[in-house]
Amino acid sequence: MSTERRTQQRSVAKLIWPIVLTQACTSAAVGLNLTIAALAAVLVTGQENLGGLAQTSTIIGATLITVAAPHLAARADRLFSLRCTIVLAMLGSVVCSIAVAFSDRLGWLLFVGLFLLGGGTVSTLTSRFVAAEKLGPNEQTSSAIGIVLFGSAAGSVIGPNLYGLVSAATESAMQIAFLSSAAVFGLGLIPLSLEQRKDYTQTLKPHGQSDTEMRISWTPSYSRVFFIAIIAHSVMVSLMTMAPLYTDRAFGPSGSGVVMTAHLLGMYAFGPLVSVALTRFGLRCTTAIGAAVLALSTCTLIFFHGVFALFILGLFGVGLGWSVGMVTSSSEVSKVAAAGERVALQGRLDIWINLAAGVSSICSGVVVAAVGYPNLAIAVLIIAVAATVLFALFERTRHS
């Protein structure tokens, strides 16, 4: 990385550091919830094939919250929208803790709580657009998004491993873990109190402008960006959702925490480097590298799923491939000059990736219950490759 590039990233980091701290806290809480959600669902229902329903509940919640978030941002500002999603996640954590504590009578509440925890997922996604909005649509957008994702790396080291620590300290591990999640979400609100609303008012709609006027002038480049994001997110969610159940049985609770930490580090720690690659090599080359990483990592999970170190490497690589897809797609949609169209496009991107993730999580639970985790990885690889080939043929046909 050149000296000029480092200087630029440092200047960007100075502007958005409260957002980065918030991202670290919310990512820690989300990482903890990712580690325990499927386990909690199995504990409450007694049925392993419902483990995938835990992540599905969160994704459905995230999808619906994502639909509302852009309109909230347009009416108020990005900062207010971000705070609301974190508050919803805090409430969801508390509800989950109550459901686990009284699982014989209120077990069904777990899925209500997991639904509200979708706010945590939305907050970690919204933060990247909050940072981009503070800087405005310029060449520093990818740096801002990469730095915000890097902030998640600190949280990803702490979050998943909290479950192992709590398990060793108390018999009510699941209940305490969800309460810990609520507390960490609360910490994430503190840095945002230092942010000024005036820095985020550029997304406000002119007085009297209706939601229908936040229209998108669709272009072929948007299709490519959306496809990159959807494929990367679907592959990641499919392989991540059921990983805690597999690793908890194969490697124990502490091993599960280590695996999820590695996965989240792959997702977040290399965001700044991905932004550098995007600037230097362009969208096509950077996404090709990300696709190769995803494919090789999935193959590792297929052939070496029984080897702890290689399973860690495989899920880490899946996270890294997701990072490439997320930074590239988010950067491209954040460069749209018109504020109304930019907000609408960002909102639609998050809606689509959450819808894809919902389908992926449901299917992954069914597949793992029927044929096991390694076969899930095989199915994911085949579908992703087939979808990429079909999309490439469609693009070639359209341009011919």
Side-chain angles (χ1 to χ4, degrees), residues 36-382:
I36 63 177
L39 300 175
V42 173
L43 176 67
V44 168
T45 64
Q47 301 182 51
E48 184 172 318
N49 63 337
L50 294 179
L53 186 59
Q55 185 68 9
T56 301
S57 299
T58 300
I59 290 172
I60 292 173
T63 301
L64 294 180
I65 294 169
T66 300
V67 172
H71 298 289
L72 191 61
R75 284 188 168 85
D77 54 73
R78 284 285 191 188
L79 197 58
F80 180 72
S81 177
L82 177 59
R83 286 168 174 158
C84 288
T85 60
I86 296 174
V87 170
L88 285 176
M90 288 177 62
L91 179 60
S93 297
V94 173
V95 171
C96 286
S97 180
I98 294 172
V100 171
F102 303 98
S103 58
D104 54 335
R105 290 171 292 165
L106 300 174
W108 59 272
L109 269 180
L110 175 71
F111 297 100
V112 176
L114 291 171
F115 177 91
L116 293 173
L117 277 172
T121 303
V122 175
S123 72
T124 59
L125 293 174
T126 300
S127 292
R128 74 197 197 280
F129 290 142
V130 171
E133 203 65 41
K134 187 172 185 179
L135 295 175
N138 55 49
E139 293 304 317
Q140 294 181 325
T141 295
S142 62
S143 293
I145 292 172
I147 291 169
V148 168
L149 292 183
F150 179 77
S152 299
S156 67
V157 171
I158 299 170
N161 291 299
L162 286 177
Y163 174 58
L165 295 174
V166 173
S167 297
T170 177
E171 294 182 357
S172 305
M174 202 70 69
Q175 180 184 351
I176 300 300
F178 278 120
L179 287 177
S180 300
S181 168
V184 177
F185 275 126
L187 286 175
L189 288 171
I190 296 175
L192 292 183
S193 65
L194 302 174
E195 289 291 88
Q196 300 296 317
R197 184 176 183 272
K198 61 181 177 64
D199 294 329
Y200 300 91
T201 56
Q202 57 184 303
T203 60
L204 287 170
K205 294 183 296 183
H207 181 68
Q209 184 179 357
S210 66
D211 290 340
T212 57
E213 289 181 82
M214 294 174 61
R215 295 173 181 172
I216 299 172
S217 301
W218 197 262
T219 67
S221 63
Y222 292 167
S223 297
R224 289 190 289 273
V225 168
F226 271 53
F227 180 79
I228 291 167
I230 289 169
I231 287 293
H233 201 63
S234 298
V235 170
M236 184 277 292
V237 169
S238 297
L239 296 174
M240 174 273 295
T241 297
M242 301 305 292
L245 280 177
Y246 177 81
T247 55
D248 190 68
R249 180 179 301 161
F251 310 120
S254 59
S256 181
V258 172
V259 168
M260 291 307 295
T261 296
H263 172 67
L264 293 170
L265 281 173
M267 288 176 67
Y268 300 125
F270 297 91
L273 292 181
V274 175
S275 72
V276 171
L278 180 60
T279 301
R280 180 172 298 179
F281 303 118
L283 179 64
R284 187 184 297 272
C285 182
T286 304
T287 52
I289 294 171
V293 170
L294 271 178
L296 290 173
S297 300
T298 305
C299 288
T300 301
L301 295 175
I302 293 171
F303 297 108
F304 304 105
H305 54 87
V307 182
F308 183 51
L310 292 179
F311 194 94
I312 291 173
L313 180 64
L315 214 59
F316 168 85
V318 170
L320 181 57
W322 173 90
S323 180
V324 174
M326 190 56 57
V327 172
T328 54
S329 59
S330 301
S331 298
E332 291 302 306
V333 299
S334 296
K335 291 176 181 177
V336 177
E341 182 174 354
R342 184 169 65 250
V343 172
L345 191 64
Q346 291 168 343
R348 189 175 295 185
L349 176 65
D350 282 351
I351 289 171
W352 273 103
I353 64 176
N354 277 309
L355 287 173
V359 174
S360 300
S361 64
I362 293 172
C363 294
S364 65
V366 173
V367 172
V368 168
V371 295
Y373 189 86
N375 288 311
L376 168 67
I378 293 174
V380 167
L381 182 62
I382 292 173

Side-chain angles (χ1 to χ4, degrees), residues 9-20:
Q9 292 202 338
R10 279 196 295 268
S11 65
V12 171
K14 288 178 181 178
L15 289 173
I16 64 173
W17 67 266
I19 305 169
V20 175

